[in-house]
Amino acid sequence: LGSLSNLEGLFLSNNYLTGSIPYSLTRDHLKLNEIFLHNNRLSGTIPVALANLPYLNIIFLDDNKLTGTVPNELCNLNLNKAFFYDHPHLEATPPNDNTTYRELDPEGRRRKRRLATDPTVVRDGCNSIACPTGYHSSQSKGKDGVFPCIECEPNSLNPYVGASKCFELDQNKILQFFYNGTDGPNWKTQNDTTWSDESVPVCEKMGITCNHGGDIIAIELSSMGLVGTIADDIGFLRHLEVLNLSNNQLSGQIPSDLRFAPLERFDLSGNLLTGVVPDVLCQKRGINRNGKNGELSCDAITCAAGSFNELGRAETENGHVQCKHCPSNQYLGSKECAFGPFSATIFFSSDGYMNGMRISLLLIGVCMGTGLLLLCFKVRRTVS
């Protein structure tokens, strides 16, 4: 991106981007005027060198997983001022009728708007870019993550800049979020009702282990038929050492918020998770003994897409269990190479025949004596 000297606008909001903001975006020869990176999964801190962009006028970085603070050098530029043109602080000139802002957000979050806010609440150059840690945006329906910002309620926290919500610390509420987000009523509980009954203490729920102080230290729900996504709030169980959600049908991405839990054993293998392992988890020592041999590896968390092994992750301490190459595997933490080295998906049209059928070719042998090429066609129906 840093080589695109004529780039004036970067619009990549709502794209599940991970990793950190690239420093190549901060080169002062760039003509960047607008940067829209909100509502992704970016981590790390906000580069102070963004203040070197001479034409920068609008930047939205909220609703990511960014930590630290908004650099003062950026705050002093009074960016995004047209977005708040009706607010009395940091006087800004209202945009005229011909002012337009390119907007790719389907919810219209960044359209020009007036803010009818308490005039005693001061907007500044920092919270115009992102609310600080410990605060969240007061906008309705969880929008924005920018001014006006309000402090987190008791028994909740927010470690991120630009957050639209704070995270629960109450164990009961966190487990309820998790239960609701993974199709709890349809778990394979064998008539166990401890999760569906909110009156049951958390330490008495199936698969939950607590310490003597009543703090959750383990969640073990392997092969329970969990369907859905992993709630970010799980990462804020401050004593959680074991998280085993293997062999379910969980989808989406691995929450980077899990970095905040003191995890020692972590197993998400055998699910339908996509994306990459968050770098902040890869760099955290001790998860599945990661880093014990002096090296940190994402494979110790879970095998990447395009690889597998019988554990769904590598054991890096002794180096004897590594993730193996398998290009056809599309999910994280795969325990087998399901389709072999050649695969294709075909779809037939409206008559419905064979719609959603996956056809995989696996070369299984060559008979040199007769010149016969033996091909095995393996057909597997996929969910349409």
Side-chain angles (χ1 to χ4, degrees):
L1 290 175
S3 62
L4 301 176
S5 57
N6 292 318
L7 182 66
E8 296 182 4
L10 183 64
F11 305 97
L12 293 174
S13 57
N14 305 297
N15 273 294
Y16 297 99
L17 301 180
T18 60
S20 58
I21 298 173
Y23 281 93
S24 60
L25 284 180
T26 66
R27 296 174 182 170
D28 57 11
H29 70 276
L30 295 177
K31 297 180 180 179
L32 272 171
N33 177 262
E34 301 174 65
I35 298 177
F36 285 62
L37 293 176
H38 55 282
N39 200 21
N40 283 294
R41 295 175 180 268
L42 297 171
S43 56
T45 58
I46 300 174
V48 63
L50 285 170
N52 296 333
L53 295 172
Y55 303 101
L56 188 61
N57 183 46
I58 297 174
I59 183 168
F60 288 112
L61 304 172
D62 48 284
D63 274 340
N64 278 286
K65 304 292 183 180
L66 298 167
T67 52
T69 62
V70 179
N72 285 330
E73 291 82 351
L74 273 178
C75 300
N76 294 335
L77 298 179
N78 192 18
L79 301 172
N80 304 334
K81 61 183 180 181
F83 186 65
F84 304 98
Y85 69 85
D86 196 37
H87 200 272
H89 298 282
L90 287 184
E91 293 183 3
T93 303
N96 59 47
D97 293 338
N98 296 321
T99 301
T100 60
Y101 292 99
R102 286 166 286 184
E103 178 53 66
L104 302 184
D105 190 327
E107 295 182 1
R109 288 179 53 191
R110 296 300 184 264
R111 294 174 183 165
K112 293 180 294 180
R113 69 174 184 178
R114 296 179 182 272
L115 288 178
T117 59
D118 182 349
T120 64
V121 178
V122 178
R123 179 180 77 86
D124 58 39
C126 293
N127 61 30
S128 297
I129 297 172
C131 291
T133 60
Y135 288 74
H136 70 95
S137 173
S138 66
Q139 291 300 307
S140 62
K141 298 182 180 179
K143 290 184 176 181
D144 293 327
V146 295
F147 176 87
C149 309
I150 57 177
E151 194 168 2
C152 292
E153 296 294 324
N155 209 31
S156 67
L157 64 76
N158 168 41
Y160 304 121
V161 294
S164 59
K165 70 169 188 175
C166 293
F167 294 88
E168 280 289 344
L169 295 177
D170 183 275
Q171 296 185 132
N172 281 289
K173 292 182 179 179
I174 292 174
L175 291 190
Q176 197 61 41
F177 292 154
F178 176 77
Y179 180 75
N180 293 336
T182 54
D183 195 24
N186 292 312
W187 287 4
K188 299 176 182 177
T189 59
Q190 297 180 344
N191 298 320
D192 183 279
T193 61
T194 56
W195 278 81
S196 58
D197 187 348
E198 295 185 31
S199 66
V200 175
V202 293
C203 298
E204 297 179 15
K205 294 185 183 294
M206 178 186 62
I208 300 297
T209 303
C210 294
N211 60 21
H212 293 301
D215 304 306
I216 297 174
I217 60 173
I219 300 176
E220 298 177 272
L221 295 170
S222 178
S223 305
M224 292 293 296
L226 278 61
V227 178
T229 58
I230 303 170
D232 295 346
D233 305 76
I234 291 290
F236 298 97
L237 291 171
R238 291 171 287 181
H239 301 270
L240 185 66
E241 299 173 358
V242 178
L243 181 61
N244 183 357
L245 304 177
S246 61
N247 303 323
N248 286 293
Q249 297 182 58
L250 296 170
S251 56
Q253 298 186 333
I254 299 175
S256 63
D257 313 82
L258 293 171
R259 74 178 109 166
F260 298 113
L263 289 171
E264 297 177 4
R265 288 195 290 119
F266 183 54
D267 192 351
L268 295 179
S269 62
N271 280 285
L272 307 175
L273 297 165
T274 53
V276 297
V277 180
D279 187 63
V280 289
L281 279 181
C282 302
Q283 298 301 316
K284 185 172 180 177
R285 293 182 178 273
I287 302 179
N288 297 335
R289 304 184 69 81
N290 195 18
K292 291 293 184 179
N293 61 350
E295 296 182 6
L296 292 165
S297 170
C298 291
D299 283 350
I301 309 301
T302 186
C303 289
S307 65
F308 79 105
N309 72 23
E310 59 273 19
L311 298 176
R313 67 178 186 278
E315 287 191 348
T316 59
E317 186 176 13
N318 299 315
H320 64 279
V321 179
Q322 299 297 320
C323 296
K324 305 169 188 177
H325 191 56
C326 179
S328 60
N329 277 359
Q330 58 183 312
Y331 300 120
L332 301 174
S334 295
K335 294 184 175 182
E336 59 181 11
C337 191
F339 302 114
F342 306 103
S343 68
T345 302
I346 60 173
F347 296 90
F348 293 84
S349 58
S350 57
D351 59 8
Y353 288 101
M354 294 187 71
N355 188 33
M357 298 291 286
R358 179 181 292 274
I359 295 181
S360 300
L361 279 67
L362 177 63
L363 179 64
I364 61 172
V366 177
C367 179
M368 298 300 294
T370 61
L372 295 177
L373 179 65
L374 181 61
L375 293 175
C376 175
F377 290 83
K378 201 175 160 188
V379 180
R380 171 170 173 169
R381 178 170 292 276
T382 60
V383 179
S384 56

